Amino acid sequence: MTKDRGDRRAYVIVARREFVERARDRSFVISTAVTLLIVVGFIVAGSIFGKGTSFDLGVVGDPSRKTGEEVVAAAKALNIAVTVHMFTDRATATAAVRDGSVDAAVIDGAEILVKSEPAAELVALVQAVSSRER
């Protein structure tokens, strides 16, 4: 047996002995169980109360409508829900962005409007689709 294997085996024996000794201690078992319950609780609460990623995208003009449709398709592949809202003009789209009705708006396929902090995933999707179209 090589020295490396012998050392590894010694570590395994010591680790096993330590675990068995600690497992006999009642406080170790209780603290491990409480920790596991807390972790499982966070996982369950996150799945129950956490909503999926979803965005509302406003579009103005035919080029933006096409971009919006492609953003929806690309988002679906990434498990992101994007709802497209059609607006007749820039002013209406700007108002919708300002009041929070939409997260962003694409104007005539050339410009993205956001309120202040853009939703990174949504902007990245719009930019990826726009660069692919060009």
Side-chain angles (χ1 to χ4, degrees), residues 84-129:
V84 175
H85 303 272
M86 296 292 296
F87 295 107
T88 55
D89 58 12
R90 179 189 179 96
T92 308
T94 302
V97 169
R98 283 192 183 140
D99 72 17
S101 299
V102 295
D103 298 300
V106 180
I107 310 298
D108 296 323
E111 184 180 358
I112 302 173
L113 295 177
V114 295
K115 187 171 185 176
S116 60
E117 288 294 317
E121 294 118 335
L122 180 60
V123 172
L125 280 168
V126 171
Q127 289 175 337
V129 167

XYZ file of all heavy atoms in Angstrom, residues 84-129:
327
model
N -46.846 40.818 -23.595
C -46.652 41.980 -24.467
C -47.923 42.825 -24.468
O -49.024 42.307 -24.608
C -46.297 41.536 -25.905
C -46.206 42.734 -26.829
C -44.993 40.755 -25.903
N -47.743 44.134 -24.309
C -48.842 45.099 -24.338
C -48.599 46.060 -25.496
O -47.540 46.691 -25.562
C -48.926 45.884 -23.022
C -49.078 45.013 -21.820
N -50.302 44.602 -21.362
C -48.158 44.455 -20.996
C -50.128 43.840 -20.287
N -48.836 43.737 -20.054
N -49.564 46.168 -26.397
C -49.446 47.065 -27.556
C -49.892 48.477 -27.156
O -50.927 48.650 -26.517
C -50.326 46.569 -28.704
C -49.931 45.225 -29.279
S -48.374 45.279 -30.155
C -48.777 46.371 -31.490
N -49.106 49.469 -27.543
C -49.456 50.871 -27.331
C -49.447 51.582 -28.678
O -48.694 51.211 -29.585
C -48.472 51.549 -26.365
C -48.520 50.972 -24.979
C -47.494 50.167 -24.501
C -49.595 51.218 -24.145
C -47.534 49.629 -23.240
C -49.646 50.681 -22.871
C -48.614 49.879 -22.412
N -50.287 52.606 -28.787
C -50.425 53.306 -30.075
C -49.345 54.349 -30.302
O -48.996 54.630 -31.444
C -51.799 53.997 -30.154
O -51.957 54.852 -29.013
C -52.912 52.964 -30.193
N -48.819 54.920 -29.201
C -47.792 55.948 -29.381
C -46.807 55.952 -28.224
O -47.011 55.291 -27.196
C -48.423 57.337 -29.551
C -49.294 57.743 -28.371
O -49.242 57.068 -27.324
O -50.016 58.741 -28.506
N -45.738 56.696 -28.394
C -44.666 56.766 -27.407
C -45.165 57.327 -26.071
O -44.770 56.845 -25.007
C -43.527 57.611 -27.960
C -42.365 57.768 -27.024
C -41.368 58.797 -27.554
N -40.285 58.949 -26.627
C -39.124 58.327 -26.719
N -38.885 57.521 -27.731
N -38.187 58.518 -25.825
N -46.024 58.326 -26.105
C -46.507 58.957 -24.879
C -47.269 57.963 -23.997
O -47.089 57.930 -22.773
C -47.387 60.157 -25.213
N -48.113 57.153 -24.615
C -48.877 56.156 -23.860
C -47.939 55.108 -23.259
O -48.096 54.708 -22.109
C -49.906 55.468 -24.775
O -50.672 56.460 -25.445
C -50.838 54.572 -23.984
N -46.957 54.684 -24.040
C -45.991 53.700 -23.546
C -45.164 54.284 -22.404
O -44.912 53.613 -21.394
C -45.081 53.244 -24.680
N -44.750 55.530 -22.540
C -43.976 56.186 -21.479
C -44.787 56.281 -20.195
O -44.269 56.030 -19.096
C -43.535 57.595 -21.936
O -42.769 57.467 -23.142
C -42.709 58.291 -20.881
N -46.057 56.630 -20.310
C -46.926 56.700 -19.136
C -47.065 55.330 -18.473
O -47.067 55.225 -17.238
C -48.295 57.251 -19.525
N -47.183 54.280 -19.268
C -47.311 52.925 -18.725
C -46.038 52.499 -17.993
O -46.106 51.847 -16.946
C -47.641 51.942 -19.838
N -44.892 52.884 -18.529
C -43.636 52.564 -17.852
C -43.547 53.329 -16.535
O -43.184 52.783 -15.503
C -42.419 52.875 -18.763
C -41.117 52.800 -17.977
C -42.378 51.923 -19.946
N -43.908 54.594 -16.562
C -43.826 55.432 -15.353
C -44.755 54.952 -14.246
O -44.399 54.980 -13.072
C -44.146 56.883 -15.690
C -43.010 57.585 -16.354
C -43.233 59.079 -16.419
N -42.124 59.688 -17.134
C -42.251 60.669 -17.994
N -43.439 61.186 -18.243
N -41.197 61.155 -18.601
N -45.973 54.516 -14.609
C -46.901 54.081 -13.555
C -46.722 52.606 -13.177
O -47.413 52.096 -12.312
C -48.351 54.389 -13.933
C -48.921 53.517 -15.041
O -48.355 52.448 -15.339
O -49.955 53.909 -15.620
N -45.789 51.926 -13.829
C -45.490 50.543 -13.464
C -46.368 49.503 -14.125
O -46.295 48.333 -13.775
N -47.199 49.906 -15.082
C -48.044 48.933 -15.783
C -47.197 47.958 -16.597
O -47.577 46.800 -16.772
C -49.020 49.641 -16.719
O -49.860 50.493 -15.993
N -46.084 48.449 -17.121
C -45.139 47.594 -17.845
C -43.748 47.823 -17.272
O -43.444 48.890 -16.735
C -45.151 47.860 -19.373
C -46.483 47.487 -19.992
C -44.771 49.281 -19.703
N -42.902 46.799 -17.381
C -41.542 46.900 -16.870
C -40.627 47.656 -17.821
O -39.655 48.283 -17.397
C -40.974 45.495 -16.612
C -41.784 44.759 -15.561
O -41.859 45.260 -14.434
O -42.348 43.692 -15.877
N -40.930 47.564 -19.106
C -40.139 48.239 -20.139
C -41.009 48.373 -21.375
O -42.031 47.701 -21.513
C -38.873 47.454 -20.461
N -40.585 49.258 -22.281
C -41.304 49.422 -23.545
C -40.285 49.552 -24.668
O -39.251 50.201 -24.512
C -42.207 50.653 -23.504
N -40.597 48.910 -25.794
C -39.750 49.005 -26.980
C -40.463 49.932 -27.956
O -41.618 49.704 -28.309
C -39.509 47.620 -27.627
C -38.636 47.746 -28.859
C -38.888 46.665 -26.618
N -39.766 50.987 -28.366
C -40.344 51.997 -29.241
C -39.785 51.827 -30.642
O -38.573 51.953 -30.859
C -40.028 53.430 -28.735
C -40.377 53.576 -27.251
C -40.722 54.468 -29.586
C -41.825 53.386 -26.915
N -40.664 51.519 -31.599
C -40.317 51.380 -33.018
C -39.105 50.486 -33.269
O -38.335 50.710 -34.198
C -40.106 52.759 -33.651
C -41.385 53.581 -33.645
O -42.467 52.979 -33.845
O -41.317 54.807 -33.423
N -38.917 49.515 -32.420
C -37.842 48.550 -32.618
C -36.447 49.112 -32.433
O -35.464 48.439 -32.714
N -36.341 50.361 -31.941
C -35.029 50.989 -31.872
C -34.647 51.473 -30.479
O -33.490 51.779 -30.233
C -34.986 52.172 -32.833
N -35.601 51.555 -29.562
C -35.327 52.161 -28.260
C -36.060 51.386 -27.170
O -37.194 50.944 -27.359
C -35.813 53.610 -28.287
C -35.519 54.405 -27.074
C -36.048 55.836 -27.197
O -36.605 56.214 -28.244
O -35.896 56.561 -26.206
N -35.415 51.246 -26.011
C -36.030 50.594 -24.851
C -36.237 51.645 -23.776
O -35.292 52.344 -23.398
C -35.140 49.467 -24.282
C -34.844 48.406 -25.328
C -35.803 48.836 -23.065
C -33.846 47.370 -24.863
N -37.458 51.776 -23.278
C -37.765 52.684 -22.173
C -37.910 51.877 -20.893
O -38.583 50.846 -20.875
C -39.081 53.414 -22.421
C -39.175 54.368 -23.593
C -40.600 54.921 -23.681
C -38.184 55.493 -23.442
N -37.286 52.359 -19.813
C -37.449 51.751 -18.491
C -37.639 52.869 -17.478
O -37.259 54.016 -17.736
C -36.234 50.875 -18.099
C -36.114 49.680 -19.012
C -34.963 51.681 -18.086
N -38.189 52.534 -16.314
C -38.474 53.562 -15.304
C -37.184 54.077 -14.670
O -36.858 55.235 -14.754
C -39.418 53.007 -14.244
C -39.905 54.036 -13.270
C -41.002 53.470 -12.388
C -41.575 54.544 -11.479
N -42.680 54.029 -10.697
N -36.438 53.221 -14.010
C -35.167 53.642 -13.426
C -34.181 52.487 -13.486
O -33.269 52.501 -14.286
C -35.351 54.134 -11.988
O -35.885 53.111 -11.192
N -34.395 51.484 -12.686
C -33.549 50.296 -12.712
C -34.183 49.274 -13.654
O -35.235 48.728 -13.353
C -33.424 49.688 -11.316
C -32.576 50.500 -10.372
C -31.121 50.539 -10.788
O -30.580 49.490 -11.180
O -30.535 51.630 -10.727
N -33.565 49.029 -14.790
C -34.178 48.078 -15.714
C -34.091 46.652 -15.191
O -33.165 46.306 -14.464
C -33.336 48.239 -16.983
C -32.029 48.757 -16.520
C -32.310 49.572 -15.284
N -35.089 45.863 -15.538
C -35.064 44.441 -15.213
C -34.015 43.799 -16.116
O -34.184 43.741 -17.334
C -36.434 43.822 -15.445
N -32.922 43.374 -15.530
C -31.765 42.909 -16.299
C -32.121 41.779 -17.268
O -31.681 41.792 -18.414
C -30.657 42.466 -15.349
N -32.924 40.821 -16.803
C -33.267 39.692 -17.666
C -34.082 40.142 -18.868
O -33.843 39.710 -19.991
C -34.047 38.621 -16.894
C -33.254 37.949 -15.807
C -33.864 38.184 -14.444
O -34.576 39.197 -14.270
O -33.623 37.367 -13.551
N -35.034 41.037 -18.633
C -35.887 41.508 -19.717
C -35.094 42.323 -20.732
O -35.215 42.112 -21.937
C -37.045 42.335 -19.158
C -38.028 42.905 -20.182
C -38.677 41.785 -20.987
C -39.076 43.755 -19.492
N -34.267 43.234 -20.251
C -33.460 44.050 -21.157
C -32.495 43.172 -21.947
O -32.305 43.360 -23.152
C -32.709 45.155 -20.383
C -31.721 45.873 -21.270
C -33.700 46.143 -19.793
N -31.908 42.181 -21.294
C -30.992 41.271 -21.992
C -31.721 40.499 -23.085
O -31.186 40.315 -24.184
C -30.349 40.309 -20.998
N -32.954 40.051 -22.796
C -33.739 39.346 -23.813
C -34.044 40.253 -25.006
O -33.880 39.851 -26.159
C -35.052 38.831 -23.219
C -34.983 37.556 -22.406
C -36.277 37.344 -21.642
C -34.711 36.374 -23.305
N -34.470 41.493 -24.728
C -34.795 42.423 -25.813
C -33.551 42.719 -26.644
O -33.602 42.720 -27.876
C -35.410 43.728 -25.249
C -35.552 44.777 -26.345
C -36.760 43.446 -24.613
N -32.422 42.948 -25.987
C -31.192 43.241 -26.717
C -30.735 42.050 -27.547
O -30.284 42.212 -28.685
C -30.093 43.674 -25.750
C -30.337 45.038 -25.175
C -29.306 45.411 -24.112
O -28.677 44.560 -23.508
N -29.171 46.722 -23.890
N -30.852 40.847 -26.997
C -30.452 39.658 -27.749
C -31.313 39.466 -28.985
O -30.805 39.183 -30.071
C -30.528 38.428 -26.856
N -32.616 39.641 -28.823
C -33.527 39.498 -29.964
C -33.257 40.595 -30.998
O -33.203 40.330 -32.203
C -35.007 39.517 -29.495
C -35.958 39.691 -30.661
C -35.324 38.240 -28.737
